[in-house]
Amino acid sequence: MARTARPTPGPSGSQPQPRPLPVRTRTAGNFVKAFFAFIALAALLIGVPAALAYFVGWPLPHEVPTLETVRQPITASVFVDVLTAVVWLAWAQFAACVLVEGKAELSGVGMPSRVPGAGPSQLLARQLVAALLLVGATAASLTPGLSQLSNAYGDNTRSSVATAQQTPGQQGDHAGPGGANHPAAQHQRMIDPSGRGSGNARVGEEQRQTKFYRIQPPEGRHHDSLWEIAERHLDDGRRYREIYQLNKDRVQPDGSKLSQASLIRPGWIMEMPADAHGGELVEMPDQAPEITTDLREQIRAYDKSSRTPHRELDTERADQAQDIAAQQPIQPSAPDQPRPAPPTKATDAAEGSPFGLSEALIGAPLLAAGLLAALGRRRRAALWQAAMSAVGLGSGIDLTATGPAARIEDALLVGADPEAVRDLDSSLRGLSAALAEAGRNLPIVYAAWLTGTEIHLQLAAPSDEPPLPWQLGQDQTFWRVRRSAITTHEDDGTAAPYPGLVSLGTLDDARLLLNLEAVPGIVSLTGAEADRTAVFASVAAELATSGWSDRLTLTLVGFGAELGALAPTRIRHLDGVDALVETMEAETSQRRAALGVAGHDSVLTGRTGQAQHTQRAPHLVLLAAEPTSEQSAQLAELAADSGRLGIGYLVGTTQEQFPGATWELDITADGRLRAPLLGLELTAQKLPDDQHRAVVELFAAADPDDGAAGGAAGPGTRRPPFLVDISEAGRPAVYARLLGDYEIMGLDTPDDQRAALLHEALALLLLHREGVHPRVLASALWPRGATEDVRYALVERLREWLGDDPGTGPAAGAVAGAGAGTGAGAAVGAAASAAGTTAPRLRADATGRLTLAPSVVSDLDVLRTLHHEATQGRGARSAQIRERLLTDALALARGPLLANRPQGRYGWLSHEIVEAQLPLLVADVALALAAHHRDAEQPRKAMEALNGALASAPADERLWNELLRAAHATGDTDLLAATATGLLDRNAALSGGARGLPPRTEALLDELLPTWRGGGRAVAN
């Protein structure tokens, strides 16, 4: 979410002034481009038709051609006329492209329409129009934030309600000289909205009035939106944000609140900016005979919910306003520019809201990607361990995060850049492999710089030319590689060459990674304790989960005992500095001796070539506790040659010059990380205390030992499952098949340009019935980032495509209420039922997440419901019902999840646990059905069910074992042998012949078919 500066109150109760936002300045290059674009457009739009008309004339015949005319030979004149007609058609197509692109640039609404067959022509038109408008007043979209300068008063300058309903055009012509724009008049409107002052304090009467708009009910498939309201009443759709800010989180007549700009409801009331105009607006409440009494009362009540209720403005401030107005001469003047406010701390726009995201994690893409990958591995291990446990929970455990942990997971999904992690890992391993093949050692690397296009390594000493695709940088101490030239490194056993690289912060668009392992001495960190700890937490979390390392030991002292939950095999915590000194003395002696025996001068030698078997993983120490003078001296001695031993020290201290510190860093209160001796000043990467605890909570909830029973919500707080009505009366309005090929029924086919995007968005929402944060949805569809207006347009388009559920009867009202759950959604559902209006199928819950109505259902939802009903509902009491439900559920398992998804899309599925849950769910259904058939002494039917599930869960050992038991129960030895042979072949295909059967399956075969090891079919343990 955008970070904005909040206005601060001025002295003496004066109106808070907004902090100016950065404005893109126009350069000479912009004017040159605009000039040449104008010349090119004039030549193409005017010069071409003028030249054709002057030199060629009308190319078409003046009379209808006869058959005799067609038979005549083609002369040069006819050829020129044909060619001229083709040029005229091309010109007309280009002119249409210019009109389409110009309209899109001027309106700023989404992507322009495509002109059929005009690919290159439309691209040229787009570039020329954009260059021309770059310096014009219409290029408002190139200076984001300008439109908000005049509206920055909005949250604090609510005027009073007025006395009459206006007609179109009434608002624009009332401001006399100096009236509306004069500072005194502005101040008067802010302080004395009641208009009870005298004299000059009453200027600008109409503009003192606050206007209200009531959201209109849908007409057909058209729904009112804030963008269209802003276009109609503010003349600029981009000003929808002003309306949103004025009305955000205020209680509406139906009891709900506006939490997402894209989701508004018919009947809601919107307070409008002061310059809004149009006949649909209502100025209230004193004298408005054209509106009903109920509407008048609703607007009165809504006005009271303003953050600064108009009636609460004190008379003392009103008197001050009158005095100021009386002292100021009224004269014509241009609109005043807002005065700069005192510097204020930039805050997240969602800070303090129930669904704000961690900007610290969103701004740490490598850390977020590492945490997300580690979390996925932890959850998969929890699922598999639960499935193989005696309890046999399998797919039944709930790993959905809630509360702060859910918001942290959303931030990870938004901020993660797995592509950058892959590029860093592949480039470094590829470099190591190339150097080993050339017989060269790895150079010592102090730091790496990661940008959007390149990776730079900063070497400790000048070096020769690097192997391709690496190149020399600005000198021989820098190696660089373009990220577009990096190829995926095959897993050939190459060790991670620089596992000690860790992000410290950013400089402009470049991210600095310091190689803690290679620093020849100690890295000290000064600053406030809370700021130091936030840096330590970020460093520890990234090192524990980084994707460019294989093995490392991370020792924490003085902080982060709970961080061990992130990576128990990597992180250890010591109680004090004495324990650290004792441990590191032993570690240093061992490493020195090992290097001497191996004949190596550095641990880097052991990471390339034939010496890999002697490699030593780095040992990194993060010391947040303040050591004594004696302990500082001991640490300095230990760190004297730590760089070649693969040991790194980061020490937090209050001392300006820490003994043995080679690099000195300082973290400031405003989040700047400075290294004066290195000439560096970065925006620090930090993980504040509350956020790092939420990260720990997220990981602890997925721990196989602690989370299997309670899931991510913890024991006793498990989220109730989403169940659908599987009766004939519960037929959904929209049904999507996610298992196997992706199909959608019940919706119109969207246009070709956006169909894939809408289908992908719907799939993500269907897989997350608990809701999806809008930023998570946008980051899934556009991993490289998307602006707020693009997110808004996506949600609005998706809502319109999904449509509404009818609310004219009791059934529809029940659906709306059930889908809403609690909070705002429940109020919307109840209101829809009572008023007989429609209920949107895409809505926002009380936390701001986008959710689908219960009338939008997938086959995965039905599969889960059938399994739940068969094992915990009606089927638990009736064998006949259980068999029918389980059979229907197994029939839904048509294949893997979204089998026909296009290449390059649906990348977010790599973070989804559902791909691991689905095979377990299908296996659970098949196992339950097989158990039912075996109880009924029908082993062949049990085998049929189990074989059907193997298509979706081919590696599930439980299916293998039950299949062997069912085959044995038939009494047919040949069938059992054939089944055993099939499982052996399946295991060989899955593992490539590298692994034998699972131990429990092998033991079962020994029991059921002792002869299975004969005939060359033996499999090693």
Side-chain angles (χ1 to χ4, degrees):
M1 294 184 180
R3 298 175 68 87
T4 58
R6 300 181 186 272
T8 55
S12 304
S14 63
Q15 170 60 28
Q17 299 294 333
R19 181 179 179 178
L21 300 177
V23 178
R24 179 180 297 180
T25 58
R26 304 182 180 96
T27 65
N30 295 146
F31 285 98
V32 172
K33 288 181 181 179
F35 175 75
F36 283 110
F38 175 77
I39 296 298
L41 284 173
L44 290 172
L45 294 178
I46 302 175
V48 168
L52 290 175
Y54 181 79
F55 291 105
V56 181
W58 182 250
L60 300 179
H62 296 281
E63 58 186 14
V64 178
T66 64
L67 184 62
E68 195 64 30
T69 305
V70 175
R71 291 175 177 173
Q72 292 180 358
I74 299 177
T75 64
S77 175
V78 172
F79 179 78
V80 170
D81 286 342
V82 171
L83 183 62
T84 303
V86 172
V87 175
W88 271 110
L89 290 174
W91 175 86
Q93 185 187 59
F94 178 76
C97 293
V98 172
L99 291 175
V100 168
E101 294 295 331
K103 178 180 181 297
E105 287 286 347
L106 292 174
S107 65
V109 182
M111 293 295 292
S113 303
R114 292 187 180 180
V115 177
S121 297
Q122 189 162 4
L123 178 61
L124 175 62
R126 180 177 306 160
Q127 294 172 342
L128 292 175
V129 169
L132 180 61
L133 296 182
L134 185 64
V135 297
T138 58
S141 60
L142 298 178
T143 55
L146 282 177
S147 63
Q148 291 140 348
L149 286 176
S150 61
N151 187 54
Y153 299 100
D155 288 341
N156 301 288
T157 62
R158 299 255 166 72
S159 305
S160 70
V161 288
T163 59
Q165 185 174 5
Q166 302 297 312
T167 56
Q170 185 175 355
Q171 305 299 321
D173 304 322
H174 292 282
N181 295 323
H182 194 275
Q186 289 184 354
H187 194 84
Q188 172 63 21
R189 291 199 305 273
M190 297 170 193
I191 302 304
D192 188 16
S194 64
R196 284 189 291 266
S198 58
N200 292 335
R202 299 187 57 85
V203 296
E205 176 74 26
E206 292 83 357
Q207 295 194 29
R208 284 203 300 269
Q209 302 166 349
T210 294
K211 305 168 183 72
F212 296 92
Y213 175 84
R214 192 181 192 192
I215 305 300
Q216 302 301 310
E219 298 180 4
R221 295 188 61 84
H222 174 76
H223 296 73
D224 224 345
S225 68
L226 293 187
W227 184 286
E228 293 180 346
I229 295 170
E231 277 193 329
R232 292 198 305 268
H233 300 294
L234 298 173
D235 301 323
D236 186 354
R238 288 186 296 270
R239 293 184 64 186
Y240 78 91
R241 296 186 183 89
E242 300 177 29
I243 307 176
Y244 172 66
Q245 292 296 332
L246 281 172
N247 298 276
K248 182 177 66 173
D249 295 331
R250 294 172 64 183
V251 178
Q252 292 290 338
D254 60 8
S256 56
K257 296 180 181 180
L258 176 65
S259 58
Q260 292 293 320
S262 56
L263 296 175
I264 57 178
R265 306 285 183 265
W268 280 11
I269 295 171
M270 296 287 114
E271 182 174 337
M272 301 291 289
D275 61 336
H277 57 81
E280 295 174 327
L281 300 180
V282 177
E283 299 191 15
M284 275 286 294
D286 297 329
Q287 298 174 0
E290 295 85 352
I291 67 173
T292 65
T293 303
D294 289 344
L295 179 57
R296 183 182 297 110
E297 293 304 319
Q298 287 180 358
I299 296 179
R300 285 180 187 272
Y302 187 71
D303 181 47
K304 293 178 182 178
S305 69
S306 170
R307 296 187 192 91
T308 47
H310 309 132
R311 67 195 48 158
E312 295 178 4
L313 295 172
D314 57 83
T315 56
E316 180 181 351
R317 292 176 61 188
D319 294 339
Q320 293 174 359
Q322 295 174 21
D323 294 341
I324 294 174
Q327 296 169 9
Q328 297 290 342
I330 300 178
Q331 57 185 6
S333 63
D336 291 298
Q337 296 296 322
R339 294 173 299 174
T344 58
K345 181 180 178 181
T347 58
D348 184 356
E351 190 174 90
S353 73
F355 47 91
L357 300 184
S358 165
E359 294 295 336
L361 286 173
I362 292 176
L366 302 182
L367 170 59
L371 288 171
L372 205 56
L375 180 64
R377 293 191 296 269
R378 183 72 59 85
R379 285 177 169 173
R380 285 172 172 79
L383 282 174
W384 186 246
Q385 181 171 326
M388 299 305 294
S389 67
V391 179
L393 289 172
S395 59
I397 68 171
D398 182 16
L399 295 175
T400 304
T402 59
R407 292 192 289 274
I408 285 295
E409 185 173 3
D410 286 341
L412 294 179
L413 289 167
V414 174
D417 189 354
E419 184 179 348
V421 174
R422 286 193 296 268
D423 286 349
L424 188 60
D425 182 51
S426 293
S427 63
L428 295 179
R429 291 184 195 267
L431 175 63
S432 177
L435 290 173
E437 185 177 354
R440 299 170 59 184
N441 289 332
L442 283 167
I444 298 175
V445 170
Y446 281 159
W449 292 90
L450 175 68
T451 71
T453 58
E454 292 185 325
I455 297 175
H456 295 251
L457 296 183
Q458 191 166 344
L459 310 184
S463 182
D464 297 332
E465 286 275 351
L468 293 175
W470 288 85
Q471 301 173 346
L472 282 176
Q474 53 264 48
D475 56 44
Q476 289 187 316
T477 62
F478 282 90
W479 287 358
R480 66 181 180 90
V481 62
R482 294 196 62 82
R483 291 177 59 177
S484 59
I486 299 171
T487 57
T488 302
H489 183 73
E490 299 297 333
D491 186 8
D492 56 2
T494 301
Y498 304 112
L501 285 169
V502 63
S503 302
L504 290 185
T506 56
L507 179 63
D508 296 329
D509 294 329
R511 184 168 301 276
L512 172 65
L513 290 88
L514 178 66
N515 189 6
L516 276 178
E517 175 192 21
V519 177
I522 292 174
V523 179
S524 67
L525 177 65
T526 57
E529 183 178 1
D531 294 324
R532 295 201 312 262
T533 304
V535 173
F536 274 122
S538 170
V539 170
E542 185 168 301
L543 287 172
T545 60
S546 69
W548 54 89
S549 62
D550 297 320
R551 298 182 300 119
L552 61 82
T553 300
L554 190 59
T555 298
L556 311 182
V557 182
F559 83 105
E562 68 282 352
L563 290 174
L566 305 186
T569 60
R570 286 191 178 187
I571 295 180
R572 65 178 179 181
H573 183 269
L574 296 180
D575 292 333
V577 182
D578 286 335
L580 173 66
V581 171
E582 181 180 352
T583 300
M584 298 314 299
E585 283 178 345
E587 178 84 7
T588 301
S589 299
Q590 290 174 2
R591 292 195 173 220
R592 285 171 179 163
L595 285 179
V597 171
H600 299 155
D601 58 349
S602 168
V603 293
L604 290 178
T605 308
R607 293 182 189 160
T608 53
Q610 300 301 314
Q612 285 195 32
H613 65 282
T614 64
Q615 64 171 298
R616 284 268 179 170
H619 187 161
L620 306 176
V621 176
L622 306 183
L623 174 59
E626 185 77 34
T628 64
S629 300
E630 181 181 355
Q631 292 167 340
S632 300
Q634 291 174 314
L635 289 172
E637 183 179 351
L638 290 171
D641 64 345
S642 60
R644 74 181 189 93
L645 301 177
I647 301 175
Y649 295 89
L650 177 61
V651 178
T653 179
T654 57
Q655 303 180 43
E656 290 296 333
Q657 294 182 338
F658 191 83
T662 304
W663 292 346
E664 297 176 346
L665 306 177
D666 178 65
I667 177 69
T668 65
D670 60 351
R672 305 294 295 176
L673 188 67
R674 300 183 299 186
L677 297 180
L678 302 177
L680 279 178
E681 183 170 342
L682 311 171
T683 300
Q685 179 173 302
K686 302 193 298 181
L687 190 59
D689 181 69
D690 58 334
Q691 295 173 28
H692 103 245
R693 291 185 182 279
V695 168
V696 171
E697 177 187 342
L698 187 63
F699 273 75
D703 188 88
D705 297 326
D706 301 330
T717 60
R718 179 173 167 181
R719 187 191 303 269
F722 175 79
L723 303 178
V724 301
D725 184 355
I726 56 177
S727 67
E728 186 64 27
R731 185 179 298 276
V734 179
Y735 184 74
R737 290 176 175 169
L738 303 180
L739 308 182
D741 291 345
Y742 187 15
E743 301 175 44
I744 302 174
M745 288 163 280
L747 290 176
D748 296 335
T749 302
D751 60 84
D752 294 338
Q753 291 84 0
R754 298 190 175 98
L757 200 66
L758 293 176
H759 286 183
E760 187 175 358
L762 178 58
L764 180 60
L765 289 166
L766 284 167
L767 292 176
H768 289 274
R769 301 306 306 218
E770 75 279 4
V772 178
H773 195 287
R775 294 184 72 177
V776 174
L777 179 64
S779 67
L781 301 180
W782 296 286
R784 295 181 181 273
T787 57
E788 183 182 356
D789 57 337
V790 172
R791 294 199 305 267
Y792 174 84
L794 167 69
V795 174
E796 187 68 20
R797 194 172 293 116
L798 183 61
R799 182 185 64 81
E800 186 171 348
W801 178 51
L802 290 174
D804 296 341
D805 286 325
T808 55
V815 167
T822 59
V828 172
S833 176
T837 61
T838 59
R841 294 179 181 140
L842 179 65
R843 56 193 67 174
D845 66 9
T847 66
R849 287 179 171 78
L850 301 174
T851 60
L852 294 172
S855 61
V856 183
V857 173
S858 72
D859 52 358
L860 183 57
D861 297 326
V862 178
L863 174 59
R864 286 171 173 156
T865 301
L866 290 170
H867 178 245
H868 182 273
E869 281 293 309
T871 56
Q872 302 178 45
R874 293 175 296 153
R877 301 183 297 273
S878 170
Q880 184 178 2
I881 295 178
R882 180 167 63 253
E883 178 183 357
R884 177 174 59 82
L885 293 172
L886 292 173
T887 302
D888 291 346
L890 195 58
L892 290 173
R894 302 180 300 128
L897 188 69
L898 299 168
N900 65 338
R901 58 182 181 258
Q903 188 175 6
R905 301 203 69 91
Y906 296 85
W908 47 268
L909 276 174
S910 62
H911 302 312
E912 295 290 335
I913 194 64
V914 67
E915 284 208 291
Q917 288 175 323
L918 177 60
L920 293 176
L921 176 60
V922 174
D924 287 346
V925 172
L927 290 169
L929 184 57
H932 169 79
H933 287 315
R934 287 186 60 197
D935 291 342
E937 297 183 355
Q938 295 176 319
R940 292 184 184 273
K941 283 191 174 182
M943 292 185 66
E944 182 181 347
L946 295 166
N947 278 316
L950 282 172
S952 297
D956 197 311
E957 182 186 349
R958 300 173 299 161
L959 295 178
W960 296 10
N961 296 346
E962 289 304 314
L963 190 60
L964 289 172
R965 292 189 180 98
H968 181 264
T970 64
D972 188 338
T973 306
D974 291 338
L975 179 60
L976 177 59
T979 302
T981 300
L983 291 181
L984 288 167
D985 293 340
R986 182 184 294 274
N987 180 70
L990 290 172
S991 65
R995 295 193 308 270
L997 285 174
R1000 283 184 280 196
T1001 303
E1002 191 170 331
L1004 182 61
L1005 269 177
D1006 284 337
E1007 173 64 26
L1008 302 180
L1009 188 65
T1011 60
W1012 75 278
R1013 294 183 184 274
R1017 306 293 301 185
V1019 180
N1021 281 322

